[in-house]
Amino acid sequence: MSASYQQRLAEHYAELSPRLREAGDYLVEHPLDVVTRSLRSVAQETRIAPATFSRLARALGFETFETLREAVRAQLSLKVSSFATRAKDLREAPKGEVEDLLMRSLEMTQSNLEDLVRGLDQVELAKLIDVLHHARRVLIVGALGSTGIAEYAGYMANFLGGKWRLAGRMGSSYGSALSDMNQKDAMIVITMSPSARVSVNAAEIARRQGVYVAVITDSYACPALRHTNTSFIITGETPNFFNTYTTTVFFLEVIMAMLAQKAEPDVVERISEIERHNRALGEVVDL
């Protein structure tokens, strides 16, 4: 699905009726059927009335179901396959074409970044920055492949203030991190397909406790989206067998830069003090 379609569906999913959710799930699970078969035949197979698909399209801001169908058709080339399948494709590709793989990776990365910037809801991003700036505490959640990305986000954020925490760090309990959070706090969940169960559960618990939950993921179907205040769908093509996090890192770095712009004047002194301590501890070496 296109980023705009995913974003709309993610934003409105919790508001949709069970029947509209069922229709939306079908669109994602059977995109080829949606674009190659008539709406009547799709309706007969799913036992969902054609009018329901039309209502779904309007609920997501599309003029007609045909307009929504075009959004599906436009992104059918973005095939989602397992890591093993993608690894098999890499092995079966012509050998010795290092430059070709390098250039394809570069082109896809550039395209992913451009798509993110063009499709980003800047109003929603500005709102998130304001929430993070005023939150009492901010918890960053990332598991499995997102663990290192969450660590990097936490490393950057701690230069800006001591209110930032990283869930599950060094074997610490997720439960302890969530135990005293409430409506004064915020959480950033980073989870790519397939979603880590602990991240989804953390989002659900936090939302029940009144925490402002922001999810960064690569698919509207991510179950954590049911428990969010806001979400950002960052899709990205890659020739690699593993999901690409390049665009996600870029987005997180932009978030930290925007937070630095809003930071209090003493944040500069805090960063300077951290750097002095790093040198005193021998953690860094000046070149």
Side-chain angles (χ1 to χ4, degrees):
M1 302 302 148
S2 68
S4 61
Y5 172 79
Q6 286 184 322
Q7 189 68 47
R8 293 183 202 185
L9 193 50
E11 290 172 355
H12 296 287
Y13 197 83
E15 306 165 7
L16 298 177
S17 67
R19 202 59 172 163
L20 290 184
R21 289 186 188 180
E22 189 176 350
D25 291 341
Y26 182 85
L27 290 177
V28 176
E29 295 168 5
H30 306 278
L32 187 59
D33 288 344
V34 169
V35 301
T36 59
R37 300 173 59 186
S38 68
L39 177 55
R40 178 176 296 180
S41 65
V42 169
Q44 288 176 343
E45 178 180 331
T46 61
R47 297 185 179 181
I48 299 174
T52 301
F53 286 100
S54 297
R55 289 200 305 273
L56 173 66
R58 291 193 295 272
L60 300 181
F62 293 94
E63 292 183 2
T64 65
F65 179 76
E66 284 304 316
T67 309
L68 175 55
R69 192 202 297 267
E70 283 303 314
V72 179
R73 180 178 289 113
Q75 293 297 319
L76 258 183
S77 60
L78 301 180
K79 185 180 77 170
V80 178
S81 57
S82 70
F83 296 159
T85 299
R86 284 184 260 172
K88 181 175 180 290
D89 291 341
L90 280 172
R91 284 187 54 81
E92 293 178 352
K95 302 298 187 294
E97 297 184 3
V98 175
E99 183 177 357
D100 177 63
L101 182 59
L102 181 63
M103 293 309 299
R104 282 198 295 132
S105 298
L106 175 60
E107 290 168 1
M108 288 182 178
T109 298
Q110 290 174 330
S111 178
N112 293 338
L113 291 170
E114 290 169 0
D115 288 346
L116 169 66
V117 174
R118 281 196 300 263
L120 192 61
D121 187 335
Q122 296 190 28
V123 174
E124 197 66 18
L125 176 58
K127 180 181 177 181
L128 172 63
I129 298 302
D130 190 61
V131 169
L132 296 177
H133 175 67
H134 290 101
R136 177 184 60 172
R137 283 171 300 198
V138 182
L139 184 67
I140 302 175
V141 175
L144 299 179
S146 300
T147 301
I149 307 303
E151 289 264 3
Y152 177 50
Y155 180 80
M156 288 189 289
N158 274 292
F159 278 89
L160 301 177
K163 69 181 184 181
W164 293 81
R165 297 180 180 179
L166 191 62
R169 191 170 189 274
M170 302 296 288
S172 62
S173 165
Y174 276 76
S176 63
L178 288 164
S179 61
D180 56 353
M181 296 186 73
N182 56 36
Q183 67 275 8
K184 298 179 182 179
D185 306 312
M187 172 189 286
I188 298 176
V189 178
I190 307 165
T191 180
M192 302 302 166
S193 303
S195 299
R197 185 178 299 275
V198 68
S199 298
V200 175
N201 292 342
E204 180 179 8
I205 293 171
R207 186 67 189 275
R208 282 206 306 262
Q209 294 177 190
V211 178
Y212 188 95
V213 178
V215 170
I216 300 172
T217 185
D218 59 353
S219 172
Y220 116 89
C222 171
L225 293 176
R226 302 172 188 170
H227 315 297
T228 64
N229 296 90
T230 189
S231 60
F232 297 90
I233 312 298
I234 302 182
T235 56
E237 290 189 83
T238 174
N240 188 18
F241 74 94
F242 202 77
N243 294 339
T244 176
Y245 280 90
T246 306
T247 318
T248 306
V249 170
F250 170 84
F251 183 53
L252 288 168
E253 289 176 345
V254 169
I255 288 176
M256 295 305 161
M258 295 179 74
L259 285 168
Q261 285 183 323
K262 292 178 68 71
E264 302 299 328
D266 61 355
V267 75
V268 176
E269 177 55 34
R270 172 183 170 82
I271 294 174
S272 177
E273 183 178 2
I274 290 173
E275 291 180 320
R276 287 197 299 270
H277 287 164
N278 286 345
R279 289 183 176 87
L281 292 168
E283 292 183 317
V284 297
V285 177
D286 290 319
L287 300 180

